[in-house]
Amino acid sequence: MARSAQAALRALPQSRYFTGLVLRALVSDLKQTTRYLLEPEIREAVRARVAAAITADTRVVVAHSLGSVVAYEVLCSLPGHAVRALVTLGSPLGTPMIFDRLDPAPAPTGPGHLRQVLGKVASDPEPRGVWPGGGHLVWTNIADRGDVVALEKDLRPWFGEAVVNAVVHNGSHTHDATAYLTDKLTGTAIARGLVLP
């Protein structure tokens, strides 16, 4: 069932008509996500609180669900930060409705796939998200195969080949933060960030 729902959710954003409907339907129940994405004053306040928590001594940032979107945007806004590891858990960063609204905005990487637009073939450059740190940052993205919030399990097409992706099995608690945090892969990613120079 979860795989069928995920396949349907992946297909809907391909339609311009359904993109707006999907965003409203998918996030209308998730008031935090809706407010974060669509209300600039909320977004600024949330980002300011997270940015204040990231100091010169912070080496690892672990973020779950919408928190991964906030952490990503904050790290992008802090040039020269000392964070060595970003660990995202159950992240919706690769979901088109969220990816297309990131700040900083994803940038086209060059010629992408061709698509039909009003009966004509047009080039659609594939955008790429900004890397949230310098070359020293190791980004590990961990997603449960059945987690519908982490619609896109592999973030490499969205943010580059440097993202380390892992798929885990959280049992019936596919999006539960505790299940993600207690997984061995999460602990390994955190430990790696603590020992990186």
Side-chain angles (χ1 to χ4, degrees):
M1 175 67 175
R3 287 186 185 166
S4 308
Q6 290 179 72
L9 289 172
R10 274 193 203 93
L12 286 175
Q14 304 307 314
S15 164
R16 287 180 185 251
Y17 173 76
F18 283 111
T19 299
L21 293 176
V22 170
L23 177 64
R24 284 190 295 277
L26 205 56
V27 295
S28 66
D29 293 334
L30 303 171
K31 291 181 181 180
Q32 292 175 345
T33 303
T34 303
R35 293 189 74 195
Y36 181 79
L37 291 175
L38 303 177
E39 297 181 31
E41 64 281 356
I42 297 291
R43 194 177 212 161
E44 289 174 25
V46 170
R47 285 175 52 166
R49 288 189 72 179
V50 173
I54 298 175
T55 69
D57 295 329
T58 305
R59 293 294 177 262
V60 178
V61 172
V62 180
H64 174 254
S65 197
L66 176 59
S68 68
V69 176
V70 177
Y72 167 82
E73 290 187 341
V74 168
L75 290 177
C76 286
S77 73
L78 297 173
H81 64 72
V83 174
R84 296 295 183 252
L86 171 61
V87 183
T88 52
L89 309 170
S91 177
L93 277 163
T95 304
M97 288 80 64
I98 290 176
F99 181 78
D100 293 342
R101 288 168 175 78
L102 288 175
D103 177 25
T109 57
H113 58 281
L114 297 178
R115 62 185 174 108
Q116 288 285 114
V117 179
L118 299 174
K120 298 179 182 176
V121 176
S123 177
D124 186 14
E126 295 180 16
R128 178 71 52 89
V130 172
W131 188 253
H136 62 273
L137 180 79
V138 176
W139 180 357
T140 304
N141 180 62
I142 301 173
D144 182 280
R145 187 175 318 282
D147 189 341
V148 295
V149 173
L151 187 59
E152 295 294 336
K153 312 305 180 220
D154 187 350
L155 294 182
R156 289 175 297 184
W158 306 91
F159 298 94
E161 292 299 315
V163 178
V164 177
N165 283 282
V167 176
V168 297
H169 180 66
N170 292 340
S172 62
H173 304 285
T174 59
H175 191 64
D176 183 67
T178 302
Y180 276 119
L181 288 168
T182 57
D183 192 279
K184 182 178 179 180
L185 291 173
T186 303
T188 301
I190 293 169
R192 184 173 43 226
L194 293 173
V195 300
L196 288 170

